[in-house]
């Protein structure tokens, strides 16, 4: 092949790469902005409503309630970072290295916090249903233990999220980005394997074991309808698995074979699955509303109270208007009566 042919082939390859890169950018920007914005708006609203219902209306009475409040708190902390990622996807990272460290750290903190909390909810349900006749602990002691476990989970989650707080940095490539810059490839692979193992695969194995045992116990029990609350946990765990599994599997492939990073198909799949993984934080309140009887009851109570408050406000405004009209009518009559008499 001649030199000119080589040069033409090179220009063709470069042009094709530029076209693919431009097409990828046109896809990723609107997709990520829409996903992040939707998750943030609905997630913050839903999880804030969960906290309002559990803390102010229903009150935190059981260990499961404590864990669900902790889960909603973790989701809120994570969702608060999405506006930064949305802007970074649309333009570039402009918030500096400190914000990069905090925001990437919050994502990992939420990952561990959510997964470990769900694992604890599963274990608590396991003891409450399968080991009900063997474990006799008062409700007050169970609540104290639940709060202590939640504090411990947050400390553990913070410890495992520390590499993101330490090694995340702002860097300039085609545009300014926020990413983790580890000192060696071995360190990066070790941290990713630890995150996937302790933050996803191990908890899922524990959940599968506990729930298979719970299902077996419930099928043998006569009062299966008494355990409707377990369906909430089933739905939450299933949703978390469906949203988190694809992303974690792609990360596992990346650890095993680094050459996959040069695949444009892998980049598309990673962006889509990562956005879906972020999206799980706004799904839990939806599950509470459609499945949880207690949640629906308190939500209806809040809506009813808001409606009553608006009705009282409207009635008060009407009463004020009528009083003012009455006063104006009386004043008008007085004026007419006065005008009939000469001064």
């Amino acid at each position: 092949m001649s030199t000119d042919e080589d040069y033409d082939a090179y220009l063709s390859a470069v042009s094709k790469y530029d076209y693919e890169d431009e097409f990828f950018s046109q896809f990723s920007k609107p997709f990520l902005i829409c996903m992040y914005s939707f998750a943030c708006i609905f997630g913050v609203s839903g999880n804030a409503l969960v906290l309002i219902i559990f803390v102010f209306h229903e009150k935190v009475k059981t260990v499961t309630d404590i864990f669900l409040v902790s889960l909603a708190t973790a989701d809120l902390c994570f969702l608060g970072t999405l506006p930064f990622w949305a802007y970074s996807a649309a333009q570039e990272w402009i918030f500096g290295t400190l914000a990069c460290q905090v925001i990437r750290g919050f994502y990992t903190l939420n990952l561990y916090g959510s997964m470990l909390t769900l694992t604890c909810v599963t274990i608590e349900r396991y003891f409450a249903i399968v080991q009900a006749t063997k474990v006799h602990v008062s409700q007050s002691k169970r609540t104290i233990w639940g709060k202590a476990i939640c504090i411990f989970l947050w400390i553990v989650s913070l410890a495992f999220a520390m590499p993101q707080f330490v090694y995340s940095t702002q860097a300039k490539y085609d545009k300014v980005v926020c990413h983790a810059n580890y000192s060696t490839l071995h360190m990066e692979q070790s941290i990713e394997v630890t995150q996937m193992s302790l933050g996803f695969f191990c908890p899922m194995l524990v959940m599968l074991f506990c729930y298979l045992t719970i299902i077996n116990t419930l099928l043998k029990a006569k009062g299966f309808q008494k355990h409707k609350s377990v369906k909430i946990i089933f739905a939450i765990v299933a949703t978390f698995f469906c949203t988190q599994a694809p992303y974690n599997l792609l990360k596992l492939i990346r650890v095993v074979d680094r050459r996959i990073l040069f695949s444009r198909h892998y980049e598309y799949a990673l962006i889509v699955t990562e956005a879906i993984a972020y999206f799980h934080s706004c799904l839990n309140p939806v599950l509470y509303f459609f499945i949880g009887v207690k949640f629906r009851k308190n939500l209806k109570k809040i809506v009813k109270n808001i409606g009553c408050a608006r009705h009282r406000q409207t009635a008060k405004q009407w009463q004020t208007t009528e009083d003012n009209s009455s006063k104006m009518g009386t004043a008008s009559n007085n004026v007419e009566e006065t005008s009939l008499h000469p001064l």
Side-chain angles (χ1 to χ4, degrees):
M1 185 179 293
S2 66
T3 304
D4 291 339
E5 290 176 342
D6 290 338
Y7 184 68
D8 290 340
Y10 169 76
L11 289 179
S12 177
V14 170
S15 177
K16 181 180 178 182
Y17 180 81
D18 290 340
Y19 172 78
E20 290 179 350
D21 190 65
E22 182 180 355
F23 185 82
F24 177 76
S25 178
Q26 291 176 353
F27 164 78
S28 62
K29 283 185 179 181
F31 176 78
L32 291 176
I33 292 171
C34 290
M35 290 293 287
Y36 291 164
S37 301
F38 184 86
C40 184
I41 293 171
F42 286 92
V44 170
S45 302
N47 284 287
L49 188 59
V50 170
L51 293 180
I52 290 172
I53 288 176
F54 273 118
V55 176
F56 296 105
H57 286 265
E58 181 61 26
K59 302 300 182 182
V60 179
K61 299 177 181 178
T62 66
V63 177
T64 302
D65 290 345
I66 293 172
F67 288 144
L68 293 179
V69 168
S70 177
L71 179 63
T73 304
D75 287 340
L76 278 175
C77 290
F78 166 71
L79 290 166
T81 67
L82 291 187
F84 296 92
W85 295 121
Y87 185 88
S88 178
Q91 301 294 329
E92 62 180 2
W93 188 264
I94 62 170
F95 308 104
T97 296
L98 180 60
C100 176
Q101 292 172 328
V102 172
I103 290 171
R104 285 185 62 89
F106 265 32
Y107 165 73
T108 309
L109 181 64
N110 169 80
L111 173 67
Y112 284 116
S114 296
M115 203 61 206
L116 294 177
T117 300
L118 289 175
T119 306
C120 287
V121 171
T122 308
I123 295 173
E124 193 275 331
R125 290 292 85 197
Y126 170 82
F127 281 108
I129 297 173
V130 179
Q131 305 290 336
T133 59
K134 299 179 182 179
V135 179
H136 299 283
V137 181
S138 65
Q139 186 62 46
S140 60
K141 289 184 178 180
R142 287 165 61 88
T143 302
I144 294 173
W145 274 103
K147 293 178 180 179
I149 291 173
C150 274
I151 294 173
F152 176 73
L153 291 181
W154 280 100
I155 294 174
V156 171
S157 300
L158 181 61
F160 284 118
M162 283 307 296
Q164 300 296 326
F165 285 106
V166 174
Y167 292 103
S168 295
T169 185
Q170 176 178 292
K172 175 70 174 179
Y173 297 103
D174 293 336
K175 65 176 186 178
V176 181
V177 298
C178 169
H179 72 141
N181 184 22
Y182 301 105
S183 56
T184 63
L185 177 61
H186 177 71
M187 176 184 291
E188 179 181 353
Q189 292 176 330
S190 299
I191 290 174
E192 288 191 351
V193 169
T194 301
Q195 288 181 348
M196 286 183 289
S197 299
L198 299 179
F200 180 74
F201 291 107
C202 289
M204 283 307 304
L205 290 176
V206 174
M207 290 181 185
L208 288 175
F209 168 78
C210 290
Y211 276 116
L212 287 175
T213 309
I214 289 173
I215 290 173
N216 184 53
T217 303
L218 293 178
L219 291 176
K220 293 179 180 179
K222 295 180 180 179
F224 184 81
Q225 293 300 320
K226 296 180 180 179
H227 304 286
K228 288 183 178 180
S229 62
V230 177
K231 292 191 296 184
I232 302 175
I233 316 303
F234 279 143
I236 292 173
V237 173
T239 301
F240 195 94
F241 178 80
C242 292
T243 55
Q244 295 293 318
Y247 178 56
N248 279 277
L249 287 176
L250 288 178
K251 289 176 64 178
L252 181 61
I253 294 173
R254 183 175 64 189
V255 171
V256 174
D257 185 8
R258 305 294 295 184
R259 292 174 299 178
I260 197 68
L261 292 172
F262 298 100
S263 171
R264 182 63 73 185
H265 296 293
Y266 176 82
E267 291 187 20
Y268 279 105
L270 190 66
I271 281 183
V272 172
T273 55
E274 185 178 16
I276 294 173
Y278 289 174
F279 190 68
H280 89 276
S281 295
C282 68
L283 295 179
N284 290 335
V286 177
L287 296 172
Y288 294 141
F289 176 75
F290 285 109
I291 300 177
V293 176
K294 182 170 64 174
F295 189 86
R296 288 203 306 269
K297 181 183 69 176
N298 286 282
L299 183 58
K300 290 178 180 177
K301 188 185 299 183
I302 290 177
V303 173
K304 184 178 180 181
N305 291 338
I306 293 174
C308 291
R310 288 182 177 178
H311 179 73
R312 287 194 297 267
Q313 183 67 23
T314 303
K316 185 177 180 181
Q317 290 176 353
W318 274 104
Q319 184 65 35
T320 303
T321 304
E322 290 177 357
D323 291 343
N324 291 336
S325 299
S326 178
K327 291 179 180 178
M328 290 178 64
T330 302
S332 177
N333 291 334
N334 292 336
V335 170
E336 291 177 359
E337 293 174 359
T338 302
S339 64
L340 294 176
H341 296 84
L343 294 174

